[in-house]
Amino acid sequence: MLKEFLDKFRTTPLLHHDEPALMPVFKRQPVSFVRGRGSILWDDEDNAYLDALGGIAVTILGHSHPRISEAISLQADRLLHVSNHFHIQEQARLGEKFCAIAEMDKVFFANSGAEANEAAIKIARAYGHSRGIKYPTIITAKKSFHGRTMATLSATGNPALQAGFEPMLANFIHVDFNSLDAVGVHADNEDVVAVMVEPILGESGIIVPDEGYLRSLRQLCDEHGWFLILDEIQTGMGRTGKWFAYQHENVLPDVMTSAKALANGIPIGACAARGKAAAVLTAGTHGSTFGGNPLACKIALTTIDIIEQDALLEAAHEMGLFLRKQLQQQIGTHAGVVDIRGKGMMLAVELDQAHPDLASLFLAAGLVVNITGGGKIIRLLPAINISDAEAKKIIQIVHDVVCAL
């Protein structure tokens, strides 16, 4: 039944929404969502969809969470913005709370993950210069994604994203992910000041490194006096079943970045540091007009409170195990499935062939997902508070679509 429906969908012209005034930098799906509640989205024709993408790992508590909505309303009625020339109570409180859950000493709040990573890169470079290094160099991973600004794009290990924007910023070395030897090759490079990696490669298709990889990187950085910078933009805020993915290995980075789910949809980014790294940036060396504004900080505080009070770290861990186990049982032996992997509520199903219209096929079946890896990888990033029934529906639809390909 579903195969017949999907075959018909393939041959039916898709409706597109006019956007004549917008720069065409996004290849959008032919759907316009107008409202949401929990893990359900409705489009402008009142069709309902189960959201297994969460705005790309952003709405970690689902849509229109009543406590989030209430906090937005109350704070909007109180104060939205004053600038960082003044003490901001909500920012100070969030700083203390964020540093506590991240086990860091200091934090700078920005507006996005890219800005948080920019701050991390600046910390590493400034630290290098303070040690007399003329060309501070950062080792990053191939297939990584750190942002679209020039510095974060230069750090990103994906030449396809860099094409047309050359020259990239110098002094980034890209090495194989999940290979300690690939990093160790540069041990004698006196310009190296930091290693910057994602604990799990997100945009490249949920690539989970071997257990002990982060711990080994920590040891290597300690041996050579390098900062370990962990990009937790996508993995953080409970996504993997811990506040941050590095906590699975009981290691601490020198610098870590967070964004996406930090305020459940309100734009905010964070760059936190400890030890020597926390003392690098001083008055006048960095800043932000909107970063750490009262609204964003209040909603981030509320998001953290909900995750704590509702025991959602444990829920993300358990539900992630359930989803991965059930997907393995349902389609793990299917001829077209290469791998099923992930950690917590960060999952991927890798197929043996590319399917250019795969995201649209899932939309037709009522499930919002992301397709990466050139059309081969189904990426699932649902809210960490989805119900058992919603989880089972995700499994059923993924099964049905994969088997109908």
Side-chain angles (χ1 to χ4, degrees):
M1 185 72 174
L2 180 62
K3 188 178 189 307
E4 294 175 0
F5 173 76
L6 294 179
D7 287 341
K8 181 179 178 182
F9 181 81
R10 285 189 178 99
T11 61
T12 302
L14 298 177
L15 296 176
H16 289 275
H17 297 77
D18 291 334
E19 300 176 337
L22 302 183
M23 292 186 184
V25 297
F26 299 106
K27 187 177 180 181
R28 302 188 196 274
Q29 291 295 315
V31 173
S32 178
F33 295 119
V34 296
R35 60 190 175 94
R37 177 69 65 176
S39 289
I40 307 300
L41 288 165
W42 287 268
D43 66 16
D44 52 3
E45 295 182 345
D46 210 33
N47 297 307
Y49 302 78
L50 177 56
D51 188 3
L53 180 60
I56 316 179
V58 170
T59 52
I60 201 160
L61 301 175
H63 304 281
S64 303
H65 190 289
R67 285 190 56 192
I68 297 291
S69 297
E70 180 184 25
I72 291 172
S73 177
L74 290 174
Q75 188 61 46
D77 192 50
R78 181 182 180 186
L79 184 67
L80 291 178
H81 178 78
V82 292
S83 97
N84 282 294
H85 287 304
F86 306 96
H87 172 73
I88 300 172
Q89 293 180 354
E90 295 81 6
Q91 185 181 132
R93 289 199 293 268
L94 177 61
E96 291 183 11
K97 189 65 177 181
F98 188 86
C99 285
I101 64 173
E103 302 172 84
M104 295 283 109
D105 295 336
K106 303 284 184 181
V107 62
F108 167 80
F109 291 113
N111 307 288
S112 66
E115 289 182 45
N117 282 338
E118 285 273 346
I121 291 167
K122 288 179 70 174
I123 287 173
R125 287 194 169 197
Y127 179 68
H129 283 296
S130 73
R131 294 170 58 195
I133 298 173
K134 188 174 182 180
Y135 301 107
T137 299
I138 300 173
I139 297 173
T140 65
K142 295 177 182 177
K143 299 184 178 181
S144 62
F145 181 80
H146 297 293
R148 300 276 189 171
T149 62
M150 284 309 300
T152 58
L153 190 60
S154 300
T156 292
N158 187 337
L161 296 179
Q162 297 170 341
F165 302 106
E166 300 90 347
M168 293 293 105
L169 271 65
N171 306 110
F172 288 97
I173 298 173
H174 300 101
V175 303
D176 289 338
F177 183 66
N178 195 28
S179 171
L180 192 66
D181 289 341
V183 179
V185 165
H186 301 280
D188 293 330
N189 186 337
E190 295 181 355
D191 288 334
V192 172
V193 294
V195 175
M196 180 178 186
V197 298
E198 301 163 78
I200 298 172
L201 296 187
E203 297 301 309
S204 290
I206 318 299
I207 301 174
V208 183
D210 295 334
E211 185 175 351
Y213 173 64
L214 296 183
R215 189 161 51 248
S216 295
L217 282 181
R218 176 71 275 174
Q219 293 171 353
L220 188 64
C221 287
D222 288 342
E223 290 172 9
H224 299 287
W226 302 339
F227 283 163
L228 176 60
I229 304 172
L230 294 183
D231 177 345
E232 293 259 7
I233 305 301
Q234 190 166 144
T235 52
M237 296 307 297
R239 172 64 54 189
T240 67
K242 297 281 189 181
W243 281 116
F244 300 98
Y246 57 79
Q247 293 170 334
H248 288 284
E249 294 201 21
N250 294 317
V251 301
L252 289 176
D254 299 288
V255 183
M256 62 82 66
T257 56
S258 179
K260 285 193 179 290
L262 180 52
N264 202 57
I266 297 295
I268 187 172
C271 176
R274 68 181 184 92
K276 294 179 181 178
V280 171
L281 295 181
T282 56
T285 60
H286 198 50
S288 174
T289 297
F290 296 104
N293 66 74
L295 177 66
C297 290
K298 177 62 177 179
I299 307 313
L301 279 166
T302 304
T303 300
I304 293 171
D305 285 346
I306 293 169
I307 292 172
E308 285 185 327
Q309 293 170 13
D310 293 354
L312 292 180
L313 296 181
E314 296 86 348
H317 172 72
E318 294 298 328
M319 185 60 79
L321 290 176
F322 172 78
L323 283 167
R324 199 157 74 251
K325 180 179 178 180
Q326 290 300 311
L327 286 169
Q328 189 66 51
Q329 291 180 358
Q330 294 281 335
I331 59 173
T333 58
H334 187 278
V337 174
V338 173
D339 191 23
I340 296 170
R341 56 180 177 264
K343 201 173 191 69
M345 300 294 276
M346 191 175 184
L347 304 160
V349 177
E350 183 172 353
L351 307 177
D352 65 342
Q353 296 182 29
H355 299 272
D357 59 352
L358 195 49
S360 295
L361 294 179
F362 272 105
L363 276 176
L367 185 67
V368 181
V369 301
N370 175 235
I371 307 301
T372 186
K376 290 184 177 182
I377 300 173
I378 305 163
R379 186 163 59 146
L380 304 170
L381 299 162
I384 61 175
N385 58 351
I386 62 169
S387 68
D388 291 347
E390 289 166 339
K392 291 175 182 177
K393 187 174 180 180
I394 290 173
I395 295 162
Q396 186 64 54
I397 295 176
V398 171
H399 167 273
D400 292 348
V401 171
V402 168
C403 292
L405 293 174

